Coordinates of all heavy atoms in Angstrom, one line a residue:
M1 N -6.0 5.4 -14.6 CA -5.0 5.4 -13.6 C -5.4 4.5 -12.4 O -4.7 3.8 -11.8 CB -4.6 6.7 -13.1 CG -3.7 6.8 -11.9 SD -2.0 6.4 -12.1 CE -1.4 8.1 -12.6
I2 N -6.7 4.5 -12.0 CA -7.2 3.7 -10.9 C -7.0 2.2 -11.2 O -6.7 1.5 -10.2 CB -8.7 4.1 -10.5 CG1 -9.0 3.5 -9.2 CG2 -9.6 3.7 -11.6 CD1 -8.4 4.1 -7.9
E3 N -7.2 1.8 -12.4 CA -7.0 0.4 -12.7 C -5.5 -0.1 -12.4 O -5.3 -1.1 -11.9 CB -7.4 0.1 -14.2 CG -8.9 0.3 -14.5 CD -9.3 1.7 -14.7 OE1 -8.3 2.6 -15.0 OE2 -10.4 2.1 -14.7
A4 N -4.6 0.7 -12.9 CA -3.2 0.4 -12.6 C -2.9 0.4 -11.1 O -2.2 -0.5 -10.6 CB -2.3 1.4 -13.3
F5 N -3.4 1.3 -10.4 CA -3.3 1.4 -8.9 C -3.9 0.2 -8.3 O -3.2 -0.5 -7.5 CB -3.9 2.6 -8.3 CG -4.0 2.6 -6.8 CD1 -2.9 2.9 -6.1 CD2 -5.2 2.2 -6.2 CE1 -3.0 2.8 -4.7 CE2 -5.2 2.1 -4.8 CZ -4.2 2.5 -4.1
L6 N -5.1 -0.2 -8.6 CA -5.7 -1.4 -8.1 C -5.0 -2.7 -8.4 O -4.8 -3.5 -7.5 CB -7.2 -1.5 -8.5 CG -8.1 -0.4 -8.0 CD1 -9.5 -0.5 -8.7 CD2 -8.3 -0.4 -6.5
A7 N -4.5 -2.8 -9.6 CA -3.7 -4.0 -10.0 C -2.4 -4.1 -9.1 O -2.1 -5.1 -8.6 CB -3.4 -4.0 -11.4
A8 N -1.8 -2.9 -9.0 CA -0.5 -2.9 -8.2 C -0.8 -3.2 -6.7 O -0.1 -4.0 -6.0 CB 0.2 -1.6 -8.3
F9 N -1.9 -2.6 -6.2 CA -2.3 -2.8 -4.8 C -2.6 -4.3 -4.6 O -2.1 -4.9 -3.6 CB -3.5 -1.9 -4.4 CG -3.8 -2.0 -3.0 CD1 -3.3 -1.1 -2.1 CD2 -4.8 -2.9 -2.5 CE1 -3.6 -1.2 -0.7 CE2 -5.1 -3.0 -1.2 CZ -4.5 -2.2 -0.3
D10 N -3.4 -4.9 -5.4 CA -3.8 -6.3 -5.3 C -2.7 -7.2 -5.4 O -2.8 -8.4 -4.9 CB -4.9 -6.7 -6.3 CG -6.2 -5.9 -6.0 OD1 -6.4 -5.4 -4.9 OD2 -7.1 -5.9 -6.9
A11 N -1.6 -6.9 -6.1 CA -0.4 -7.8 -6.2 C 0.4 -7.7 -5.0 O 1.3 -8.6 -4.8 CB 0.4 -7.3 -7.4
L12 N 0.2 -6.8 -4.1 CA 1.0 -6.7 -2.8 C 0.6 -7.9 -1.9 O -0.6 -8.2 -1.8 CB 0.9 -5.4 -2.2 CG 1.4 -4.2 -3.0 CD1 1.0 -2.9 -2.3 CD2 2.8 -4.3 -3.2
P13 N 1.6 -8.4 -1.1 CA 1.3 -9.5 -0.2 C 0.4 -8.9 1.0 O 0.5 -7.8 1.3 CB 2.6 -9.9 0.3 CG 3.6 -9.1 -0.3 CD 3.0 -8.2 -1.2
Q14 N -0.4 -9.8 1.5 CA -1.1 -9.4 2.8 C -0.2 -9.6 3.9 O 0.8 -10.4 3.9 CB -2.3 -10.5 3.0 CG -3.5 -10.2 2.1 CD -4.3 -9.1 2.5 OE1 -4.2 -8.4 3.5 NE2 -5.4 -8.8 1.7
G15 N -0.4 -8.9 5.0 CA 0.5 -8.9 6.2 C 1.6 -7.9 6.1 O 1.5 -7.0 5.3
S16 N 2.7 -8.2 6.8 CA 3.8 -7.3 6.9 C 4.9 -7.8 6.0 O 5.2 -9.0 5.9 CB 4.3 -7.1 8.3 OG 3.3 -6.5 9.1
F17 N 5.6 -6.9 5.3 CA 6.7 -7.2 4.4 C 7.6 -6.0 4.2 O 7.2 -4.9 4.6 CB 6.2 -7.7 3.0 CG 5.4 -6.8 2.3 CD1 6.0 -5.9 1.3 CD2 4.0 -6.6 2.5 CE1 5.2 -5.0 0.6 CE2 3.2 -5.7 1.8 CZ 3.8 -4.9 0.9
T18 N 8.7 -6.2 3.7 CA 9.6 -5.1 3.4 C 9.7 -4.9 1.8 O 9.5 -5.9 1.1 CB 11.0 -5.3 3.9 OG1 11.6 -6.5 3.5 CG2 11.0 -5.2 5.5
G19 N 10.1 -3.8 1.4 CA 10.2 -3.5 0.0 C 10.8 -2.2 -0.3 O 11.2 -1.5 0.6
T20 N 11.0 -1.9 -1.6 CA 11.6 -0.7 -2.1 C 10.7 0.1 -2.9 O 10.0 -0.4 -3.8 CB 12.9 -1.0 -2.7 OG1 13.7 -1.8 -1.9 CG2 13.7 0.2 -3.2
A21 N 10.7 1.5 -2.7 CA 9.9 2.4 -3.7 C 10.8 3.7 -3.7 O 11.2 4.1 -2.7 CB 8.5 2.7 -3.1
H22 N 10.9 4.2 -5.0 CA 11.7 5.4 -5.2 C 13.1 5.4 -4.5 O 13.5 6.4 -4.0 CB 10.8 6.6 -4.7 CG 9.4 6.6 -5.3 ND1 9.2 6.8 -6.6 CD2 8.2 6.5 -4.7 CE1 7.9 6.8 -6.8 NE2 7.3 6.6 -5.6
G23 N 13.7 4.3 -4.6 CA 15.1 4.2 -4.0 C 15.2 4.1 -2.5 O 16.2 4.2 -2.0
R24 N 14.1 4.0 -1.8 CA 14.0 3.9 -0.3 C 13.4 2.6 0.1 O 12.5 2.1 -0.6 CB 13.2 5.1 0.2 CG 13.8 6.4 -0.1 CD 13.1 7.5 0.7 NE 12.5 8.4 -0.3 CZ 11.7 9.4 0.1 NH1 11.2 9.5 1.3 NH2 11.2 10.2 -0.8
R25 N 13.9 2.1 1.3 CA 13.3 0.9 1.8 C 12.3 1.2 2.9 O 12.3 2.1 3.6 CB 14.5 0.1 2.5 CG 15.6 -0.1 1.6 CD 16.1 -1.6 1.4 NE 15.8 -2.5 2.3 CZ 14.9 -3.5 2.1 NH1 14.3 -3.6 1.0 NH2 14.6 -4.4 3.1
Y26 N 11.2 0.3 2.9 CA 10.1 0.5 3.7 C 9.7 -0.8 4.4 O 10.0 -1.9 3.8 CB 8.9 0.9 2.9 CG 9.0 2.3 2.4 CD1 9.7 2.5 1.2 CD2 8.4 3.4 3.0 CE1 9.7 3.8 0.7 CE2 8.5 4.7 2.5 CZ 9.1 4.9 1.4 OH 9.3 6.2 0.9
V27 N 9.1 -0.7 5.6 CA 8.3 -1.9 6.1 C 6.9 -1.5 5.9 O 6.4 -0.4 6.2 CB 8.7 -2.1 7.6 CG1 8.4 -1.0 8.5 CG2 8.1 -3.4 8.1
V28 N 6.1 -2.5 5.3 CA 4.8 -2.3 4.9 C 3.9 -3.2 5.5 O 4.2 -4.4 5.7 CB 4.7 -2.4 3.4 CG1 3.3 -2.1 2.8 CG2 5.7 -1.5 2.6
T29 N 2.7 -2.8 5.9 CA 1.6 -3.7 6.3 C 0.4 -3.5 5.6 O -0.1 -2.4 5.5 CB 1.3 -3.5 7.9 OG1 2.5 -3.8 8.6 CG2 0.3 -4.5 8.3
R30 N -0.1 -4.5 4.9 CA -1.4 -4.5 4.2 C -2.3 -5.5 4.9 O -2.1 -6.6 5.1 CB -1.2 -5.0 2.8 CG -2.5 -5.0 2.0 CD -2.2 -5.5 0.6 NE -3.5 -5.8 0.0 CZ -3.8 -6.7 -0.9 NH1 -2.8 -7.4 -1.4 NH2 -5.0 -6.9 -1.4
S31 N -3.6 -4.9 5.2 CA -4.5 -5.7 5.9 C -5.9 -5.4 5.3 O -6.2 -4.4 4.7 CB -4.6 -5.4 7.4 OG -4.6 -4.1 7.6
G32 N -6.8 -6.5 5.4 CA -8.1 -6.3 4.9 C -9.2 -6.6 6.0 O -8.9 -7.3 7.0
F33 N -10.3 -5.9 5.9 CA -11.4 -6.0 6.8 C -12.8 -6.2 6.0 O -12.8 -5.8 4.8 CB -11.5 -4.7 7.6 CG -10.2 -4.3 8.3 CD1 -9.4 -3.5 7.7 CD2 -9.9 -4.9 9.5 CE1 -8.1 -3.1 8.3 CE2 -8.7 -4.5 10.1 CZ -7.8 -3.7 9.4
S34 N -13.7 -6.7 6.7 CA -15.1 -6.9 6.1 C -14.9 -7.6 4.7 O -15.4 -7.1 3.7 CB -15.7 -5.5 5.9 OG -15.9 -4.9 7.1
N35 N -14.4 -8.8 4.8 CA -14.1 -9.6 3.6 C -13.4 -8.9 2.5 O -13.7 -9.0 1.3 CB -15.4 -10.2 3.0 CG -16.1 -11.2 3.9 OD1 -15.4 -11.9 4.6 ND2 -17.5 -11.1 4.1
D36 N -12.4 -8.1 2.9 CA -11.5 -7.3 2.0 C -12.3 -6.2 1.3 O -11.8 -5.6 0.3 CB -10.8 -8.2 1.0 CG -9.5 -8.8 1.7 OD1 -9.1 -8.3 2.6 OD2 -9.1 -9.8 1.0
K37 N -13.5 -5.8 1.7 CA -14.2 -4.7 1.1 C -13.5 -3.4 1.6 O -13.7 -2.3 1.0 CB -15.6 -4.7 1.4 CG -16.3 -5.9 0.6 CD -17.8 -5.9 0.8 CE -18.4 -7.0 0.0 NZ -19.4 -7.7 0.5
A38 N -12.9 -3.5 2.7 CA -12.1 -2.3 3.3 C -10.6 -2.8 3.5 O -10.5 -3.9 4.1 CB -12.7 -1.8 4.6
Q39 N -9.7 -2.1 2.9 CA -8.3 -2.5 3.0 C -7.5 -1.3 3.5 O -7.8 -0.1 3.2 CB -7.8 -3.0 1.7 CG -8.6 -4.2 1.2 CD -8.3 -4.6 -0.2 OE1 -8.4 -3.8 -1.1 NE2 -7.9 -5.9 -0.4
K40 N -6.4 -1.6 4.2 CA -5.5 -0.6 4.8 C -4.1 -1.0 4.4 O -3.7 -2.1 4.4 CB -5.6 -0.6 6.3 CG -4.8 0.6 6.9 CD -5.3 0.8 8.3 CE -4.6 2.0 8.9 NZ -4.9 3.2 8.3
L41 N -3.3 0.1 4.1 CA -1.9 -0.1 3.8 C -1.1 1.0 4.6 O -1.5 2.2 4.6 CB -1.5 0.1 2.4 CG 0.0 -0.2 2.0 CD1 0.1 -1.1 0.8 CD2 0.6 1.1 1.8
V42 N -0.1 0.6 5.4 CA 0.7 1.5 6.1 C 2.2 1.2 5.8 O 2.5 0.0 5.8 CB 0.5 1.4 7.6 CG1 1.4 2.3 8.4 CG2 -1.0 1.8 8.0
A43 N 3.0 2.1 5.5 CA 4.4 2.0 5.1 C 5.2 3.0 5.9 O 4.9 4.2 5.9 CB 4.6 2.1 3.7
E44 N 6.3 2.5 6.5 CA 7.3 3.4 7.2 C 8.6 3.2 6.6 O 9.1 2.1 6.4 CB 7.3 3.1 8.7 CG 6.0 3.4 9.4 CD 6.1 3.1 10.9 OE1 6.9 3.8 11.5 OE2 5.4 2.2 11.3
E45 N 9.2 4.4 6.2 CA 10.6 4.2 5.7 C 11.6 3.7 6.7 O 11.5 4.3 7.8 CB 11.0 5.6 5.2 CG 12.4 5.6 4.4 CD 12.8 7.0 4.0 OE1 12.1 8.0 4.2 OE2 13.9 7.1 3.4
L46 N 12.4 2.8 6.3 CA 13.4 2.3 7.3 C 14.6 3.3 7.3 O 15.2 3.6 6.2 CB 13.9 0.9 6.8 CG 12.9 -0.3 6.9 CD1 13.3 -1.5 6.1 CD2 12.5 -0.5 8.3
G47 N 14.9 3.8 8.4 CA 16.0 4.7 8.6 C 15.7 6.1 8.1 O 16.6 6.9 7.9
G48 N 14.4 6.4 7.8 CA 14.0 7.7 7.3 C 12.7 8.2 7.9 O 12.2 7.6 8.9
K49 N 12.2 9.2 7.4 CA 11.0 9.9 8.0 C 9.7 9.7 7.1 O 8.6 10.1 7.6 CB 11.2 11.3 8.2 CG 12.3 11.6 9.2 CD 12.5 13.1 9.4 CE 13.6 13.3 10.4 NZ 13.8 14.8 10.7
D50 N 9.8 9.1 6.0 CA 8.6 9.0 5.1 C 7.6 8.0 5.7 O 8.0 6.9 6.3 CB 9.0 8.6 3.7 CG 7.9 8.9 2.7 OD1 7.1 9.8 2.9 OD2 7.9 8.2 1.6
Y51 N 6.3 8.3 5.5 CA 5.2 7.5 6.0 C 4.1 7.6 5.1 O 3.7 8.6 4.5 CB 4.8 8.1 7.4 CG 3.7 7.3 8.1 CD1 3.9 6.2 8.8 CD2 2.4 7.8 8.0 CE1 2.9 5.5 9.4 CE2 1.4 7.2 8.6 CZ 1.6 6.0 9.3 OH 0.6 5.3 9.9
I52 N 3.5 6.4 4.7 CA 2.4 6.3 3.8 C 1.3 5.6 4.6 O 1.5 4.6 5.2 CB 2.8 5.5 2.6 CG1 4.0 6.0 1.9 CG2 1.6 5.3 1.6 CD1 3.9 7.3 1.2
S53 N 0.1 6.1 4.4 CA -1.1 5.4 5.0 C -2.3 5.7 4.1 O -2.6 6.8 3.7 CB -1.3 6.0 6.5 OG -2.4 5.4 7.1
L54 N -3.0 4.6 3.9 CA -4.2 4.7 3.0 C -5.3 3.7 3.4 O -4.9 2.6 4.0 CB -3.9 4.6 1.6 CG -3.4 3.2 1.1 CD1 -4.6 2.4 0.5 CD2 -2.4 3.4 0.0
N55 N -6.5 4.0 3.1 CA -7.6 3.1 3.2 C -8.2 3.0 1.8 O -8.3 4.0 1.1 CB -8.6 3.5 4.2 CG -8.1 3.5 5.6 OD1 -7.8 2.5 6.1 ND2 -8.2 4.7 6.2
L56 N -8.6 1.8 1.4 CA -9.2 1.5 0.1 C -10.5 0.8 0.4 O -10.5 -0.2 1.1 CB -8.3 0.7 -0.7 CG -8.7 0.3 -2.1 CD1 -9.0 1.5 -3.0 CD2 -7.7 -0.7 -2.8
Y57 N -11.6 1.3 -0.1 CA -12.9 0.7 0.0 C -13.4 0.3 -1.3 O -13.4 1.0 -2.3 CB -13.9 1.8 0.6 CG -13.4 2.3 1.9 CD1 -12.7 3.5 2.0 CD2 -13.6 1.6 3.1 CE1 -12.3 4.0 3.2 CE2 -13.2 2.1 4.3 CZ -12.5 3.3 4.4 OH -12.1 3.8 5.6
R58 N -13.8 -1.0 -1.4 CA -14.3 -1.7 -2.6 C -15.9 -1.6 -2.5 O -16.5 -2.4 -1.8 CB -13.9 -3.1 -2.7 CG -12.4 -3.2 -2.6 CD -11.6 -2.8 -3.9 NE -10.2 -3.1 -3.7 CZ -9.4 -3.7 -4.6 NH1 -9.9 -4.1 -5.7 NH2 -8.1 -3.9 -4.4
L59 N -16.5 -0.6 -3.1 CA -17.9 -0.4 -3.0 C -18.6 -0.9 -4.3 O -17.9 -1.0 -5.4 CB -18.2 1.1 -2.8 CG -17.5 1.7 -1.7 CD1 -17.8 3.2 -1.6 CD2 -17.9 1.1 -0.3
A60 N -19.9 -1.1 -4.2 CA -20.6 -1.5 -5.4 C -20.5 -0.5 -6.5 O -20.5 -0.7 -7.7 CB -22.1 -1.8 -5.1
S61 N -20.3 0.8 -6.1 CA -20.2 1.9 -7.1 C -18.8 2.1 -7.6 O -18.5 2.9 -8.5 CB -20.7 3.2 -6.5 OG -19.9 3.5 -5.3
G62 N -17.8 1.3 -7.1 CA -16.4 1.4 -7.5 C -15.5 1.6 -6.3 O -15.9 1.8 -5.2
A63 N -14.3 1.5 -6.5 CA -13.2 1.6 -5.6 C -13.1 3.1 -5.1 O -13.2 4.0 -5.9 CB -11.8 1.1 -6.0
R64 N -12.9 3.3 -3.8 CA -12.7 4.6 -3.2 C -11.4 4.6 -2.5 O -11.2 3.8 -1.5 CB -13.8 5.0 -2.3 CG -15.2 5.1 -3.0 CD -15.2 6.4 -4.0 NE -16.5 6.5 -4.6 CZ -16.8 6.0 -5.8 NH1 -15.8 5.4 -6.5 NH2 -18.0 6.2 -6.3
L65 N -10.5 5.4 -2.9 CA -9.2 5.6 -2.1 C -9.3 6.7 -1.2 O -9.6 7.9 -1.5 CB -8.0 5.8 -3.2 CG -6.7 6.1 -2.7 CD1 -6.1 5.0 -1.9 CD2 -5.8 6.5 -3.8
K66 N -8.9 6.5 0.0 CA -8.9 7.5 1.1 C -7.5 7.5 1.7 O -7.2 6.8 2.7 CB -10.0 7.2 2.2 CG -11.4 7.2 1.6 CD -11.8 8.5 1.2 CE -13.2 8.5 0.7 NZ -13.7 9.7 0.2
P67 N -6.7 8.4 1.2 CA -5.4 8.6 1.9 C -5.5 9.2 3.3 O -6.5 9.9 3.5 CB -4.6 9.6 1.0 CG -5.4 9.6 -0.2 CD -6.8 9.3 0.1
C68 N -4.6 8.9 4.2 CA -4.7 9.4 5.5 C -3.8 10.6 5.6 O -2.5 10.4 5.8 CB -4.3 8.3 6.5 SG -5.3 6.9 6.4
E69 N -4.3 11.8 5.6 CA -3.6 13.0 5.8 C -2.4 13.3 4.9 O -1.3 13.7 5.3 CB -3.1 13.2 7.3 CG -4.3 13.2 8.2 CD -4.0 13.4 9.7 OE1 -2.8 13.8 9.9 OE2 -4.8 13.1 10.5
M70 N -2.6 12.9 3.6 CA -1.6 13.1 2.6 C -2.3 13.1 1.2 O -3.4 12.6 1.1 CB -0.5 12.1 2.6 CG -0.9 10.6 2.4 SD 0.3 9.4 2.8 CE 0.6 9.7 4.5
P71 N -1.7 13.7 0.2 CA -2.3 13.7 -1.1 C -2.5 12.3 -1.7 O -1.7 11.5 -1.5 CB -1.3 14.5 -2.0 CG -0.5 15.3 -1.0 CD -0.4 14.4 0.2
A72 N -3.6 12.2 -2.4 CA -3.8 10.9 -3.0 C -2.7 10.5 -4.0 O -2.3 9.3 -4.1 CB -5.2 10.9 -3.8
Q73 N -2.2 11.5 -4.7 CA -1.1 11.2 -5.7 C 0.1 10.6 -5.0 O 0.7 9.7 -5.6 CB -0.7 12.4 -6.5 CG 0.1 12.1 -7.7 CD -0.6 11.3 -8.7 OE1 -1.8 11.6 -9.1 NE2 -0.1 10.2 -9.1
K74 N 0.4 11.0 -3.8 CA 1.6 10.4 -3.0 C 1.3 8.9 -2.8 O 2.3 8.1 -3.1 CB 1.8 11.1 -1.7 CG 2.9 10.5 -0.9 CD 3.2 11.3 0.3 CE 4.4 10.6 1.1 NZ 4.8 11.4 2.2
V75 N 0.1 8.5 -2.4 CA -0.1 7.1 -2.1 C -0.2 6.3 -3.5 O 0.3 5.2 -3.5 CB -1.3 6.8 -1.2 CG1 -1.1 7.5 0.1 CG2 -2.6 7.3 -1.8
V76 N -0.8 6.9 -4.5 CA -0.8 6.2 -5.8 C 0.6 6.0 -6.3 O 0.9 4.8 -6.7 CB -1.7 7.0 -6.8 CG1 -1.5 6.5 -8.2 CG2 -3.1 7.0 -6.4
D77 N 1.4 7.0 -6.3 CA 2.8 6.9 -6.8 C 3.6 5.9 -6.0 O 4.4 5.0 -6.5 CB 3.6 8.2 -6.7 CG 3.0 9.2 -7.7 OD1 2.3 8.9 -8.7 OD2 3.3 10.4 -7.5
F78 N 3.4 5.8 -4.7 CA 4.1 4.8 -3.8 C 3.6 3.4 -4.2 O 4.5 2.5 -4.4 CB 3.7 5.1 -2.4 CG 4.4 4.1 -1.4 CD1 5.7 4.2 -1.0 CD2 3.6 3.0 -1.0 CE1 6.2 3.3 -0.2 CE2 4.1 2.1 -0.1 CZ 5.5 2.2 0.2
V79 N 2.4 3.1 -4.2 CA 1.9 1.8 -4.6 C 2.4 1.3 -5.9 O 2.8 0.2 -6.1 CB 0.4 1.7 -4.4 CG1 -0.1 0.4 -4.9 CG2 0.0 1.8 -2.9
L80 N 2.4 2.2 -6.9 CA 2.8 1.9 -8.3 C 4.3 1.6 -8.3 O 4.7 0.7 -9.0 CB 2.5 3.0 -9.3 CG 1.0 3.1 -9.6 CD1 0.8 4.4 -10.4 CD2 0.4 1.9 -10.2
A81 N 5.1 2.2 -7.5 CA 6.5 2.1 -7.4 C 7.0 0.9 -6.5 O 8.1 0.5 -6.6 CB 7.2 3.3 -7.0
L82 N 6.2 0.6 -5.5 CA 6.6 -0.4 -4.5 C 6.9 -1.8 -5.1 O 6.1 -2.4 -5.7 CB 5.5 -0.5 -3.4 CG 5.8 -1.5 -2.2 CD1 7.0 -1.0 -1.5 CD2 4.6 -1.5 -1.3
R83 N 8.1 -2.3 -4.7 CA 8.6 -3.6 -5.1 C 8.9 -4.4 -3.8 O 9.9 -4.1 -3.2 CB 9.7 -3.6 -6.0 CG 9.5 -2.8 -7.3 CD 8.5 -3.6 -8.2 NE 8.2 -2.8 -9.4 CZ 7.2 -2.1 -9.7 NH1 6.3 -2.0 -8.7 NH2 7.0 -1.5 -10.8
P84 N 8.0 -5.4 -3.4 CA 8.2 -6.1 -2.2 C 9.5 -6.9 -2.4 O 9.9 -7.4 -3.5 CB 7.0 -7.1 -2.1 CG 6.0 -6.4 -3.0 CD 6.7 -5.7 -4.0
D85 N 10.3 -7.1 -1.3 CA 11.5 -8.0 -1.3 C 11.0 -9.4 -1.6 O 9.9 -9.8 -1.2 CB 12.1 -8.0 0.0 CG 12.8 -6.5 0.3 OD1 13.0 -5.8 -0.7 OD2 13.0 -6.3 1.5
P86 N 11.8 -10.3 -2.2 CA 11.5 -11.6 -2.4 C 11.3 -12.3 -1.0 O 12.1 -12.0 -0.1 CB 12.7 -12.3 -3.1 CG 13.5 -11.1 -3.7 CD 13.1 -9.9 -2.8
E87 N 10.4 -13.2 -0.9 CA 10.1 -13.9 0.4 C 11.3 -14.8 0.7 O 11.8 -15.6 -0.2 CB 8.8 -14.7 0.3 CG 8.4 -15.3 1.6 CD 7.1 -16.0 1.4 OE1 6.3 -15.6 0.6 OE2 6.8 -16.9 2.3
V88 N 11.7 -14.8 1.9 CA 12.8 -15.7 2.3 C 12.2 -17.0 2.8 O 11.4 -17.0 3.8 CB 13.7 -15.0 3.4 CG1 14.7 -15.9 4.0 CG2 14.2 -13.7 2.9
R89 N 12.5 -18.1 2.2 CA 12.1 -19.4 2.7 C 13.0 -20.1 3.6 O 14.2 -20.0 3.3 CB 11.7 -20.3 1.4 CG 10.8 -19.7 0.5 CD 9.5 -20.3 0.7 NE 8.5 -19.7 -0.3 CZ 7.3 -19.5 0.0 NH1 6.8 -19.8 1.1 NH2 6.5 -19.0 -1.0
R90 N 12.6 -20.7 4.6 CA 13.5 -21.4 5.5 C 13.1 -22.8 5.6 O 12.1 -23.2 5.5 CB 13.5 -20.8 6.9 CG 14.0 -19.4 6.9 CD 14.1 -18.8 8.3 NE 14.5 -17.4 8.2 CZ 14.8 -16.7 9.1 NH1 14.8 -17.1 10.3 NH2 15.2 -15.4 8.9

């Protein structure tokens, strides 16, 4: 399961974007630190109360997922379901 999560996480755009997961719309920010060895994702439901926050650490011993005050399964399910909106080009 961690491989599917990591593939879905890595496919998400860096920076802020909007998207849909589980039929709800979110504004999402994905950022990286320490040459992307530490990554953070925060998502807030637009017009709702849902909130997702996680840190992901890429260690020599393997990836470590650290959700922020919520079950790991919630953040895994969210990332697997998240579909970013198509980028608007001007």
Side-chain angles (χ1 to χ4, degrees):
M1 171 79 87
I2 190 72
E3 294 83 14
F5 168 81
L6 292 173
F9 186 91
D10 290 342
L12 296 174
Q14 287 281 357
S16 294
F17 60 94
T18 55
T20 303
H22 306 295
R24 297 188 239 169
R25 304 238 337 112
Y26 292 84
V27 61
V28 182
T29 302
R30 177 182 167 210
S31 50
F33 307 93
S34 300
N35 293 324
D36 278 341
K37 289 184 175 137
Q39 298 170 305
K40 183 168 187 68
L41 183 135
V42 175
E44 294 182 62
E45 184 183 3
L46 294 169
K49 295 181 181 179
D50 197 26
Y51 181 80
I52 306 290
S53 182
L54 67 93
N55 292 301
L56 178 63
Y57 301 97
R58 309 284 182 131
L59 307 173
S61 59
R64 296 291 181 262
L65 174 62
K66 298 292 183 181
C68 301
E69 300 182 15
M70 61 193 60
Q73 194 62 52
K74 179 176 179 172
V75 298
V76 168
D77 291 345
F78 176 80
V79 169
L80 291 174
L82 182 59
R83 299 294 177 259
D85 293 339
E87 187 176 338
V88 177
R89 302 258 183 216
R90 294 184 185 188

